Amino acid sequence: MSKVKYYYDSETLSYRKIESKRGRKIGFILLFFAAVLLCSFLFVTLIFNTALETPKEKVLKREIAQLQLQYKLLNKKMTQAQAVLENLEERDNNIYRLYFEANPIPEEQRKAGFGGVNRYEALYNYENADLLVTTTREFEKLQKRMIVHSKSLDEIAKLAEDKEKFLASIPAIQPVNNEDLTRMASGYGFRSDPFTKVRKMHWGMDFTAPRGTPVYASGDGVVVRADNSASGFGKHIRIDHGYGYVSLYAHLSKYNVRKGKKVKRGDLIGFVGSTGRSQAPHLHYEIRKNGDKINPINFYYGNLTAKEFEELLKNAAKQNQSLD
């Protein structure tokens, strides 16, 4: 049973019963059902959107997930590439460039960015612009570092080629076969002259050997003399090795090369003799650097062990008589 409601009438000074209007009741009922329908519609729509996706939405969702995965993989690869490149840069500066006496490339030059505030302006028109700009900037820095490193390797390759040519050119082996090291007759330094018996400077090394023993070029170069017009040397050969080095082979019996001939280290260039100012068959061997005569014994690293070189030093240091 519904409650009866009253209101106070100030004119009659009495309570009067509130009469409910039928139309108002119907309005309230309709408003209630409308609210229920609206809430139901919103609830169903929410459930449908979250639980039931359209085919297009499913495709887009998969594409987004795939792009996110690819981006993570790309970032991982870039990080790995940066680590490898940093290792190569460190070796380049601290090993290769140091070995070839080239200045290291400064860190700021290798990792410098790109100028221009509007360089990435076009990327800001896309969604996820910050992500695109950051990735593009890091990739371009990596690309530039690779270009700098590539140019450095080109320079190192050129330096290595020059170094290889230099090492092949300087005199580095004994000019005659001397496996048992018994052919060393006289070394570089003051020795007794075989003719005057006076001590004087002996500017080379004498190797005793039978007449006709092969004589070999001690380094790559060009024959600049093959004649007997130099005083005291008799038939002799001079090879210009470049870099200021010249080797001389004196008292030969005959030549196997002529002036202007290009030779390689170990090539047969002549034969031992006793021409010129010579007491017995032997090879007088000299090395000159920028015109100065220097001790040839310091250039035999090419075919001697440490023990053999020590033995050769002892023989060369003997204060004996030279053969020329």
Side-chain angles (χ1 to χ4, degrees):
M1 183 176 180
S2 62
K3 293 182 179 180
V4 179
K5 295 182 180 181
Y6 298 87
Y7 73 95
Y8 181 73
D9 188 348
S10 59
E11 292 181 357
T12 63
L13 302 176
S14 63
Y15 287 96
R16 298 178 65 87
K17 185 179 180 180
I18 298 175
E19 300 290 342
S20 60
K21 296 181 180 180
R22 188 176 182 182
R24 181 176 292 181
K25 287 184 177 181
I26 295 174
F28 278 121
I29 293 172
L30 292 176
L31 182 61
F32 173 75
F33 278 110
V36 171
L37 289 173
L38 179 61
C39 291
S40 300
F41 175 77
L42 293 175
F43 180 75
V44 171
T45 302
L46 179 63
I47 296 298
F48 182 80
N49 286 337
T50 55
L52 301 176
E53 296 177 341
T54 64
K56 185 176 181 180
E57 289 175 333
K58 290 182 179 180
V59 171
L60 289 175
K61 192 172 182 179
R62 284 198 300 267
E63 289 180 354
I64 292 173
Q66 185 65 25
L67 288 174
Q68 290 174 339
L69 176 61
Q70 291 299 324
Y71 175 72
K72 289 181 180 179
L73 292 176
L74 178 61
N75 266 346
K76 185 176 181 180
K77 289 180 180 178
M78 286 183 63
T79 302
Q80 292 173 343
Q82 288 173 346
V84 172
L85 185 57
E86 285 177 1
N87 179 263
L88 291 175
E89 289 170 344
E90 182 180 0
R91 292 165 64 186
D92 184 32
N93 274 347
N94 299 325
I95 299 179
Y96 308 131
R97 300 187 70 83
L98 185 64
Y99 176 77
F100 292 108
E101 300 178 354
N103 293 327
I105 298 176
E107 192 75 5
E108 56 271 16
Q109 181 178 342
R110 289 186 184 271
K111 297 183 178 180
F114 294 87
V117 293
N118 297 323
R119 182 176 184 85
Y120 308 106
E121 184 177 6
L123 297 178
Y124 286 104
N125 297 325
Y126 297 94
E127 293 184 9
N128 301 316
D130 293 338
L131 183 62
L132 287 172
V133 171
T134 301
T135 303
T136 304
R137 183 185 291 114
E138 291 302 315
F139 178 77
E140 288 185 347
K141 286 183 180 180
L142 181 63
Q143 188 178 39
K144 183 178 179 181
R145 288 171 62 186
M146 292 176 66
I147 292 173
V148 172
H149 188 64
S150 177
K151 290 182 178 179
S152 177
L153 290 180
D154 290 340
E155 182 183 357
I156 293 298
K158 180 64 170 58
L159 292 172
E161 183 180 347
D162 294 341
K163 191 84 168 184
E164 183 179 9
K165 183 179 179 182
F166 168 74
L167 293 176
S169 297
I170 60 173
I173 63 172
Q174 295 183 90
V176 295
N177 286 330
N178 190 21
E179 295 179 359
D180 54 6
L181 305 179
T182 58
R183 288 181 169 176
M184 172 56 60
S186 180
Y188 178 95
F190 283 94
R191 300 291 186 271
S192 296
D193 186 280
F195 299 100
T196 65
K197 308 304 179 183
V198 175
R199 283 177 59 80
K200 69 175 186 178
M201 186 64 183
H202 185 241
W203 295 106
M205 300 184 74
D206 291 342
F207 294 89
T208 59
R211 191 184 305 272
T213 299
V215 177
Y216 305 99
S218 56
D220 297 358
V222 178
V223 176
V224 291
R225 289 188 66 171
D227 55 58
N228 61 354
S229 59
S231 176
F233 289 140
K235 291 182 178 180
H236 77 291
I237 293 171
R238 300 188 194 195
I239 298 176
D240 186 347
H241 302 280
Y243 308 98
Y245 290 95
V246 174
S247 58
L248 181 147
Y249 313 78
H251 311 303
L252 302 176
S253 60
K254 60 180 179 179
Y255 312 110
N256 194 53
V257 292
R258 62 181 61 184
K259 182 179 179 180
K261 173 73 174 178
K262 290 183 178 181
V263 294
K264 294 288 186 181
R265 178 181 293 149
D267 284 354
L268 176 64
I269 58 173
F271 301 90
V272 171
S274 187
T275 58
R277 192 176 184 274
S278 172
Q279 189 183 48
H282 74 286
L283 173 70
H284 176 80
Y285 176 64
E286 291 184 8
I287 293 180
R288 303 177 184 184
K289 176 68 163 62
N290 296 325
D292 296 328
K293 299 173 183 179
I294 55 181
N295 194 344
I297 202 168
N298 297 321
F299 294 83
Y300 294 145
Y301 62 85
N303 62 346
L304 291 179
T305 65
K307 185 176 181 180
E308 290 172 337
F309 183 71
E310 184 178 358
E311 182 67 23
L312 190 65
L313 280 174
K314 292 179 181 178
N315 293 336
K318 293 178 181 178
Q319 298 294 316
N320 54 7
Q321 177 179 285
S322 65
L323 295 178
D324 47 36

